[in-house]
Amino acid sequence: MTFLIKIIFIAVLGCGFLYLLRTKLMSNNSASQDSQDSQDSQDSQDSQDSQDSQDSQDVKMHYTLQDSIMSPAELTFYHALSACITDDQIIFTKVRIADVLNVQEQKTKENFGKWNGAFMKISQKHFDYLICDKSNMSVICAVELNDKSHQKKQRNDRDLFVEQACKEANLPLLMYPCYPTYKLDVLSDTLTITINAK
């Protein structure tokens, strides 16, 4: 009887061991499959990302030439202004303010933030027209054509800043209203007064 109990006990232990071994093997197979599925999914995503990137690179943007660098109103005023300058003067249009004015303070590590802020204010703006001396390209006067857009608050704030910057730099600035046509004698006199007021 005791021998039979021992046999049964050994058989139960054997069955338990086999069950645990089977469970362990199934768990490993499942983890392996999950890992493979995850890898397959990642490979698929990487392939899709690569394809999307390639498709994005294949989209080529193109450029076209504008009909004119001036609007009709700007061109009309340009012709009028050209008739009012002397033979030793020349007019440039849409000149970046940062190519005309400098930030007075030297750039240092201590003031870099403020210096960069001051520079950005003039680097992102331009003068409508710039009258220069033909012989040495020194700046004689900056000219702004004020159309209806200058009545907006944001544009008005911009104009006030430009006016103050030119005043600090001792650069004559003529802000002239936009008209369909211009009286050349009035424009010429106003330009002369602005330049001589320096």
Side-chain angles (χ1 to χ4, degrees), residues 33-101:
Q33 184 61 43
D34 289 345
S35 177
Q36 183 62 42
D37 291 344
S38 177
Q39 182 62 42
D40 291 344
S41 176
Q42 182 63 44
D43 290 344
S44 177
Q45 184 62 43
D46 290 345
S47 177
Q48 183 63 42
D49 290 345
S50 177
Q51 183 63 41
D52 291 343
S53 177
Q54 183 63 38
D55 291 343
S56 177
Q57 292 176 3
D58 289 342
V59 178
K60 184 177 180 180
M61 307 304 291
H62 302 83
Y63 301 92
T64 60
L65 182 64
Q66 296 193 47
D67 295 333
S68 174
I69 64 170
M70 299 185 199
S71 68
E74 291 170 336
L75 187 59
T76 297
F77 183 77
Y78 171 79
H79 289 312
L81 189 62
S82 297
C84 298
I85 63 174
T86 61
D87 291 339
D88 59 349
Q89 295 173 345
I90 187 172
I91 301 174
F92 295 99
T93 64
K94 303 181 185 297
V95 180
R96 191 178 67 145
I97 296 181
D99 293 324
V100 181
L101 305 183

Side-chain angles (χ1 to χ4, degrees), residues 114-183:
K114 290 185 177 180
W115 187 97
N116 191 59
F119 176 77
M120 292 299 292
K121 285 184 178 180
I122 59 175
S123 68
Q124 298 176 357
K125 299 177 178 66
H126 69 269
F127 291 120
D128 291 334
Y129 309 90
L130 202 67
I131 302 175
C132 296
D133 187 315
K134 275 185 180 180
S135 63
N136 57 17
M137 292 299 157
S138 60
V139 180
I140 297 174
C141 182
V143 182
E144 289 282 283
L145 181 62
N146 288 355
D147 56 17
K148 291 182 179 180
S149 67
H150 288 253
Q151 297 174 5
K152 299 178 181 179
K153 184 181 184 306
Q154 183 177 3
R155 187 71 178 183
N156 187 253
D157 292 342
R158 178 261 182 203
D159 290 345
L160 290 174
F161 167 78
V162 172
E163 189 174 6
Q164 180 60 35
C166 289
K167 184 177 181 180
E168 290 179 359
N170 199 27
L171 170 62
L173 172 64
L174 172 61
M175 291 189 168
Y176 208 80
C178 181
Y179 298 114
T181 60
Y182 298 91
K183 295 181 178 180

